[in-house]
Amino acid sequence: MDCPTEEGQIRRALEGFTDLRGLRFDLPARALTVDAPAASWNAVTAAINALGFKTETLSAPPAAEDTAQAQRTELVKLVAALVVAIGAELLHFFAPDTAPWHVAGMAVAAVAIALSGLTVFRKGLSALVRGQLNINALMSVAVIGAFAIGQWPEAAMVMALYSLAELIEARSVERARNAITGLLALSPEQAEVRQADGSWARVQAKTVAVGATVRVKPGERLALDGRVTSGQGAVDQSPVTGESIPVDKAPGDAVFAGTINQSGSLEFEVTRPAGDTVLAGIIRAVEAAQGQRAPTQRFVDQFAAIYTPAVFLLALAVAIGTPLLLGWPWLTGVYKALVLLVIACPCALVISTPVTIVSGLAAAARRGILIKGGVHLESARKLKVLALDKTGTLTEGRPQLVAQQVLATDLPEDHVLRIAHSLAARSDHPVSKAVAAKLAGDTLPVDGFGAELGLGVHGRVDGLDVVLGNHRWIHDRGQCSPALEALLQQHEAQGRTVSLLADGSRVLALFAVADTTKATSREAVAELQALGVRTVMLTGDNPSTAQAIASQVDITDVHANLLPQDKQQAVAALGRHGPVGMVGDGVNDSPSLAAAAVGFSMGAAGTDTAKEAADVLIMNDDLRKVPETIRLSRRTYAVLWQNIVLALGIKAVFFALAVFGSATMWMAVFADMGASLLVVANGLRLLRSPRR
């Protein structure tokens, strides 16, 4: 099963099975997954075998060694067929023009055809019996016709070259697939696991249970996903997230299979079994994405379905019409028609799209961008507007203390800060946590600690009754002077949340907390705008905070105070002016991600809800991956059409040469083979596309 036309042939053969629930084709792997009752299996395989295919039921993918050996055997057989075909050509040119030598030459040619073409004949004749015209049917008719009119050396050469080209083409296509499956090899087969007696032993990674403790030394790859329990080190996460800079890891941080521990010994608790790691999930998702046809691929398949019969009719017209209308010899007309059949094979055309799409998907996966299908890879190039969530997408999603000011002049500054830290450390509120984290140090005892919902916390610290509360609480307590109000307005205009430390009569200190923008957000927005994509912020936060963050990243179109359904409606409204994308990171963004033409999920390594709703998963929180996806989409689309023009252009030239020039069958098969290899090589260029 080499190309989409053969896939279509199998689909049509299985359409009559009423209990068939689904088919999933993986052309690069030549694999078909059938969803049907077990009782139907024999009938399904019999129907496929009747088409000329040889089915092999797999409980697991074939071993790489077995696949390589089968490919070597096939290559040796085809090279032998080519040598025998060359022998037939030599006999034709140099042997005496007598019947015995003719018979000998035909026998040699028949051997070459048998060595290289039995599979082609089985598939081709099966298609002809069913009234279908595919690549193998064209080649079968061309070779049999050439043999019948006495062009047996060319018949042998054409079949040998065609089959050899098919093998080379298949190997080239596998390169795109190997770019994906090769990621799985990044995970070691063994892991060093702590045993019950406290010792360490190397065991097969697939046998390690969730909850086990694994140790990884500097320079080693991680075999499993987990969470660090002991040690610190820098980990190269590029195979999973596409990050070019190693990430520092400490207890509590997540680590992923396939990444490299560059420094320091780490111990981590396994959080997922070997078959369910983030890396394995990436590979499964990309392989599943290969089964989703991109728009250009559907167009090419539909075109090929019309093109092949049309060319067959054209060849028939040349065979019959040129002798009748132009007075050519019948053998000349038939020969030119056979040359047309050879050059008309739509191999280059139909193989160009899947190999290009798979290469694009693999190139994205290498960069930590997981695209769920070719349709989304193509759609990203059309985006005119991109809506972005604020928290966790443009910002870090974690409040941080960005400003502090002690207002009491009669108390030591460090003592005031220590009082504030003592109160904040007792609270679970995110703002208090941000204050406590920044003011880390010793705390004082707090008596009578309590919290006022929506206002703040209070207690007695070092003999003082103090509160740590928001603007509203301090205002209600009558402690906001005009000077303090002006100071608060300055901070709030910048999108900051202010907490105030006060005793019974005055405000002692001010703490401003904000969700800071990511270092890459401004650059990502600039890249999007340079690509001609308008950026819009959609957030549930208040307008002042939203405007403050938007100004930091150069976004001018801001929609604030939005509920999840409001975001969805905003995306739909933006979509009336052109394809719109949405970037989000959580549950509240799911409706708008689903409503967008292309939904991008940030932080896909851990956000299950966003993963389900989005079309593109960014495996780290780097927003620059979004414009990188759009650039890759545009490059992929350009390569797709380069391949289509190249394939059809070469065929158009040889059509003219075949009818009005002196093109031969072996020249035609060289042209067809060359076109196929050119478009495959052009598609594989995407694997070498430069990063950002």
Side-chain angles (χ1 to χ4, degrees), residues 371 373-386 531 533 579 581 597-598 600 616 626-634:
I371 303 174
V375 62
H376 308 305
L377 176 60
E378 272 203 51
S379 297
R381 71 179 177 85
K382 301 177 184 177
L383 294 180
K384 301 298 182 186
V385 183
L386 191 73
L531 290 170
V533 179
V598 182
F600 297 83
V616 180
V626 177
E628 187 171 358
T629 302
I630 295 173
R631 285 192 293 268
L632 180 61
S633 173
R634 293 179 180 180

Side-chain angles (χ1 to χ4, degrees), residues 365-595:
R366 286 178 168 185
R367 292 158 170 75
I369 304 167
L370 185 53
I371 303 174
K372 291 186 178 180
V375 62
H376 308 305
L377 176 60
E378 272 203 51
S379 297
R381 71 179 177 85
K382 301 177 184 177
L383 294 180
K384 301 298 182 186
V385 183
L386 191 73
L388 301 110
D389 173 51
K390 178 182 74 69
T391 307
T393 299
L394 289 166
T395 69
E396 295 289 353
R398 297 183 300 272
Q400 296 181 18
L401 181 63
V402 295
Q404 64 188 51
Q405 183 176 353
V406 174
L407 303 176
T409 57
D410 59 333
L411 294 174
E413 181 174 327
D414 60 342
H415 185 62
V416 173
L417 296 178
R418 195 176 179 192
I419 292 173
H421 180 217
S422 302
L423 268 182
R426 297 286 299 270
S427 173
D428 291 329
H429 193 278
V431 173
S432 294
K433 285 184 175 181
V435 173
K438 190 72 172 182
L439 303 179
D442 295 335
T443 59
L444 298 169
V446 180
D447 297 324
F449 178 82
E452 299 294 330
L453 186 62
L455 298 174
V457 294
H458 60 86
R460 187 173 181 81
V461 183
D462 197 29
L464 285 175
D465 290 320
V466 289
V467 301
L468 183 64
N470 59 21
H471 183 178
R472 176 185 169 188
W473 196 11
I474 301 303
H475 182 273
D476 290 346
R477 286 165 59 94
Q479 294 178 305
C480 277
S481 66
L484 181 59
E485 288 284 4
L487 186 60
L488 291 174
Q489 286 179 10
Q490 291 178 16
H491 285 290
E492 290 171 352
Q494 298 177 63
R496 297 171 176 176
T497 300
V498 181
S499 289
L500 299 158
L501 178 69
D503 61 13
S505 60
R506 57 184 171 161
V507 175
L508 304 177
L510 173 152
F511 303 94
V513 172
D515 184 6
T516 57
T517 58
K518 295 175 183 175
T520 56
S521 293
R522 186 185 183 91
E523 184 180 346
V525 171
E527 289 183 23
L528 287 165
Q529 292 170 348
L531 290 170
V533 179
R534 183 164 67 96
T535 52
V536 179
M537 180 193 287
L538 305 180
T539 179
D541 213 335
N542 65 75
S544 60
T545 301
Q547 287 289 352
I549 295 296
S551 65
Q552 294 176 33
V553 296
D554 283 342
I555 293 178
T556 57
D557 194 349
V558 179
H559 301 257
N561 284 333
L562 299 181
L563 297 173
Q565 59 269 30
D566 299 327
K567 286 187 179 182
Q568 183 181 16
Q569 292 170 5
V571 167
L574 291 168
R576 289 195 286 269
H577 305 290
V580 58
M582 172 68 192
V583 188
D585 70 322
V587 177
N588 63 328
D589 297 316
S590 298
S592 48
L593 287 171

Side-chain angles (χ1 to χ4, degrees), residues 568-656:
Q568 183 181 16
Q569 292 170 5
V571 167
L574 291 168
R576 289 195 286 269
H577 305 290
V580 58
M582 172 68 192
V583 188
D585 70 322
V587 177
N588 63 328
D589 297 316
S590 298
S592 48
L593 287 171
V598 182
F600 297 83
S601 168
M602 301 295 289
T607 312
D608 291 337
T609 306
K611 280 198 286 187
E612 290 297 323
D615 306 307
V616 180
L617 311 181
I618 307 300
M619 299 308 292
N620 64 4
D621 286 335
D622 191 344
L623 191 60
R624 293 174 298 179
K625 299 292 185 183
V626 177
E628 187 171 358
T629 302
I630 295 173
R631 285 192 293 268
L632 180 61
S633 173
R634 293 179 180 180
R635 283 197 297 271
T636 301
Y637 187 73
V639 170
L640 281 171
W641 280 99
Q642 288 168 12
N643 283 345
I644 291 170
V645 172
L646 185 64
L648 293 178
I650 290 174
K651 292 186 184 301
V653 170
F654 265 82
F655 276 178

Side-chain angles (χ1 to χ4, degrees), residues 54 102 587 593 603 682:
K54 179 184 176 183
H102 273 268
V587 177
L593 287 171
N682 195 36

Side-chain angles (χ1 to χ4, degrees), residues 7 11 23-33 60-62 173-185 275 278-293 297 354 357-365 369-374:
E7 174 190 324
R11 283 186 186 277
L23 301 173
R24 184 165 65 83
F25 291 84
D26 185 354
L27 288 177
R30 298 185 179 186
L32 166 62
T33 303
V173 172
E174 283 176 7
R175 280 190 57 197
R177 175 180 170 80
N178 291 341
I180 299 168
T181 56
L183 292 173
L184 194 57
V278 169
L279 186 60
I282 292 173
I283 295 165
R284 282 195 300 270
V286 176
E287 288 179 337
Q290 295 175 30
Q292 297 185 22
R293 294 191 179 284
Q297 189 172 351
I357 292 297
V358 171
S359 296
L361 294 173
I369 304 167
L370 185 53
I371 303 174
K372 291 186 178 180

